[in-house]
Amino acid sequence: MASMDLVVRGARVVDGSGGPSYRADVGIRGGRIAELRRDGGPRLSGARVLDADGLALAPGFIDMHAHSDLALLRDPDHSAKAAQGVTLEVLGQDGLSYAPVDDRTLAEVRKAITGWNGDGSDLDIDWRTVGEYLDRLDRGFDGEGIAVNAAYLIPQGTVRMYAMGWEDREATPRELDRMRQLVAEGLAQGAVGLSSGLTYTPGMYAPDAELTALCEVVARYGGYYCPHHRSYGAGALRAYEEMVELTRAAGCALHLTHATLNFGVNEGRAPELLALLDKALADGCDITLDTYPYTPGCTTLAAVLPSWAGTGGPEAVLARLRDAETAERIRHDLEVVGADGCHGVPVDWETIEISGVSDPALAGFVGRTVARSARERGEAPWTTARRLLVEDGLGTTILQHVGHEENVRAIMRHRVHTGGSDGILQGAKPHPRAYGTFPHYLGHYARDLGILSLEEMVAHLTSRPAARLRLPDRGLVKEGYRADVVLFDPDTVAAGATFERPRTLPTGIPYVLIDGRFVIEDGRRTDVLAGRAVRRAPAPVSS
């Protein structure tokens, strides 16, 4: 056997299968795992030998729900994910992203999700199709690539915006045909599936029949449907059931994103969700899910508004907020009725913490709940929230403290569970999940609490998502597979990020490699840009 480019010697190999770990030398050559040699055999030789005594070696982690759509093109370092051991992110989430678009749609979606990704004014957004966006990711910085690999979901809300604007109505047959065409084109160009944000406008205006028609296209291409469904609060269980029924009718694989049960109405109800999923799985449905290991959620302040207020797009929303009579209707829906944007639950302003603003003049609101800021200003909470929405141009992000720890733990144990950070990198005080999800799973939930064994937890973060993405050579430490690997100390790995210091990097992850190249070395980010777009097979599957 020829010498290796790199030999990782004496590692505890946690191979991603969920089976027992073992000690071995791992030989890497040409960007792939060339040989695994367990203890007791002859030593491998290589141009470089890395002593991994005391370290676990696992496949690189796959973030099944990421909001790095522009961050990967803005920040070559991207340590928020690279330092966690993430080697692949899935973008295009929650039905809103930047391809496919025309000029009008691009301007509108930039405004709509400024709170997630910034307004993009610092970037030359020169793509319009899914394929062009993936090509841009491949080029990255000066043609060298990006920090980590990225796959892409076609955003259903953006597709609807492109085909018919922001109107709250059923699509005409011609408009539906256009949406189906856009989805097919995106899948043919390399997208892995379709996402929806069914509490976000305009995607939430789509009836089930429209979503089913789009999922039929996804099924033909062997992709999957990834919905942020219609409620995580009141009616959450029915919303989950709706997605199962919809994809069953379409013959489409289903991946339930940030799958949890929030708000007081759902405390302790995770077993009901898991029973629903177990029944569907037993019936032959193809279902997976992802979660982040924290109780608070994170979104934009504008997202909690009732759907009728979003008709016509961002400028129409701002006009309604400026009109006193219409703003009072919005307040009543939020505080009394329970707006669909707030999952059908009357808003509790004590649970909504401002995590970021687009206008620096509003920075004083960051880190405070809307209720606290209102008290300090001597005004009603809605007055404060309305002021923020208008003055920040809908660019305000929030933490929503509405989750339940027992639900989080129960769902992460399920056999179809995977990990997703839902990491929003914008704002002065982002959710710590953006910087801490994967080490928090390994350190807090696997090592400290024993919710899953280390081997089981690694499988949740590697081979299971790779199987959902239908990646033939990622997700396992296996000969012939890509050398996307992470080395961590099982005894010390931990998330550094907290709600007080959310951008702190993790500890206990000294090495991360993509295609056999060190992205993290001795605990520090290198200048390597080994990430590329990961495309699904271009041809539709036969029916």
Side-chain angles (χ1 to χ4, degrees):
M1 175 67 69
S3 177
M4 302 291 168
D5 300 330
L6 171 69
V7 173
V8 181
R9 180 155 290 166
R12 174 186 173 185
V13 176
V14 186
D15 67 7
S17 69
S21 56
Y22 57 89
R23 283 181 61 88
D25 291 353
V26 181
I28 295 171
R29 185 174 59 241
R32 293 188 177 265
I33 298 169
E35 188 171 354
L36 296 170
R37 190 167 292 180
R38 299 198 184 212
D39 271 7
R43 291 291 194 183
L44 294 175
S45 62
R48 176 177 176 182
V49 176
L50 175 64
D51 183 0
D53 185 45
L55 298 178
L57 183 147
F61 305 132
I62 297 176
D63 188 342
M64 288 295 287
H65 189 111
H67 288 285
S68 304
D69 306 48
L70 299 184
L72 278 167
L73 296 172
R74 176 181 289 130
D75 177 18
D77 182 83
H78 201 50
S79 285
K81 296 299 178 66
Q84 293 186 60
V86 171
T87 57
L88 171 61
E89 299 184 88
V90 184
L91 314 176
Q93 300 287 348
D94 294 327
L96 291 166
S97 190
Y98 306 92
V101 292
D102 56 12
D103 291 350
R104 171 191 60 81
T105 307
L106 176 60
E108 292 173 345
V109 77
R110 283 173 57 181
K111 181 77 170 178
I113 54 175
T114 292
W116 292 356
N117 299 299
D119 67 7
S121 59
D122 55 328
L123 293 168
D124 178 17
I125 300 181
D126 57 355
W127 64 84
R128 294 296 180 269
T129 70
V130 169
E132 289 169 351
Y133 175 63
L134 296 176
D135 288 344
R136 178 66 181 276
L137 291 173
D138 277 338
R139 295 196 307 273
F141 297 88
D142 299 323
E144 295 296 317
I146 49 180
V148 304
N149 296 308
Y152 188 72
L153 293 162
I154 302 162
Q156 170 260 329
T158 302
V159 166
R160 196 174 212 266
M161 195 188 311
Y162 192 149
M164 55 183 293
W166 293 75
E167 297 182 50
D168 183 3
R169 61 172 175 82
E170 291 189 11
T172 67
R174 184 170 183 173
E175 289 166 341
L176 183 55
D177 284 345
R178 180 59 173 144
M179 284 188 266
R180 289 167 60 90
Q181 178 188 15
L182 289 167
V183 171
E185 289 172 353
L187 290 162
Q189 292 163 8
V192 295
L194 176 75
S195 77
S196 282
L198 300 180
T199 66
Y200 300 133
T201 56
M204 69 192 305
Y205 300 144
D208 283 1
E210 179 181 310
L211 298 172
T212 301
L214 299 183
C215 284
E216 288 170 349
V217 178
V218 175
R220 287 207 308 271
Y221 280 81
Y224 67 93
Y225 181 45
C226 181
H228 164 129
H229 51 268
R230 297 192 193 275
S231 176
Y232 290 83
L237 287 167
R238 173 60 194 136
Y240 280 111
E241 186 178 7
E242 176 192 7
M243 295 299 100
V244 172
E245 292 171 351
L246 187 156
T247 50
R248 189 199 300 262
C252 182
L254 173 64
H255 181 83
L256 296 164
T257 198
H258 41 57
T260 190
L261 291 156
N262 293 332
F263 302 92
V265 294
N266 289 313
E267 186 172 1
R269 299 191 72 184
E272 297 175 59
L273 168 61
L274 300 179
L276 185 160
L277 298 181
D278 284 338
K279 182 179 185 304
L281 289 162
D283 289 343
C285 294
D286 183 359
I287 301 174
T288 51
L289 59 86
D290 69 64
T291 68
Y292 50 84
Y294 300 87
T295 53
C298 180
T299 187
T300 63
L301 183 58
V304 305
L305 299 177
S307 59
W308 62 262
T311 305
E315 292 305 322
V317 176
L318 290 167
R320 292 185 182 100
L321 289 165
R322 293 186 182 105
D323 178 76
E325 184 176 344
T326 310
E328 173 57 22
R329 284 183 59 205
I330 294 172
R331 183 206 65 78
H332 184 267
D333 272 12
L334 276 170
E335 295 184 348
V336 180
V337 178
D340 47 6
C342 198
H343 307 276
V345 177
V347 69
D348 179 356
W349 296 112
E350 294 283 2
T351 68
I352 294 184
E353 177 186 354
I354 305 304
S355 60
V357 292
S358 295
D359 183 349
L362 301 171
F365 290 95
V366 174
R368 290 172 163 80
T369 66
V370 171
R372 176 183 169 186
S373 287
R375 286 192 296 270
E376 292 173 351
R377 300 175 68 87
E379 61 190 18
W382 169 240
T383 302
T384 301
R386 180 186 175 198
R387 179 195 311 278
L388 272 167
L389 286 162
V390 172
E391 294 183 6
D392 207 25
L394 310 182
T396 305
T397 53
I398 62 171
L399 300 179
Q400 203 163 7
H401 296 270
V402 292
H404 304 286
E405 179 68 17
E406 69 274 24
N407 287 344
V408 171
R409 295 186 188 187
I411 294 167
M412 78 169 65
R413 291 188 181 101
H414 197 272
R415 65 186 186 279
V416 300
H417 169 264
T418 68
S421 71
D422 197 7
I424 294 174
L425 301 171
Q426 288 292 116
K429 194 174 181 286
H431 196 304
R433 67 194 185 191
Y435 285 74
T437 286
F438 294 88
H440 200 47
Y441 268 126
L442 297 170
H444 182 62
Y445 284 96
R447 181 190 62 233
D448 298 343
L449 299 181
I451 299 299
L452 292 169
S453 70
L454 180 65
E455 288 84 356
E456 290 172 319
M457 188 66 82
V458 167
H460 284 227
L461 308 181
T462 59
S463 63
R464 289 188 185 176
R468 165 52 69 222
L469 294 167
R470 299 192 176 186
L471 302 176
D473 57 357
R474 302 176 198 261
L476 292 169
V477 178
K478 185 176 180 179
E479 291 178 0
Y481 274 50
R482 290 180 181 271
D484 294 357
V485 298
V486 54
L487 286 97
F488 62 93
D489 185 339
D491 295 329
T492 64
V493 63
T498 64
F499 286 98
E500 292 71 34
R501 300 181 63 189
R503 297 185 188 275
T504 307
L505 297 179
T507 56
I509 306 179
Y511 301 101
V512 180
L513 293 88
I514 296 178
D515 274 356
R517 302 168 66 192
F518 283 96
V519 174
I520 300 291
E521 187 171 11
D522 295 323
R524 297 181 179 86
R525 178 72 172 94
T526 70
D527 60 2
V528 168
L529 295 168
R532 298 292 185 273
V534 175
R535 295 166 170 83
R536 54 154 276 105
V541 297
S542 58
S543 58

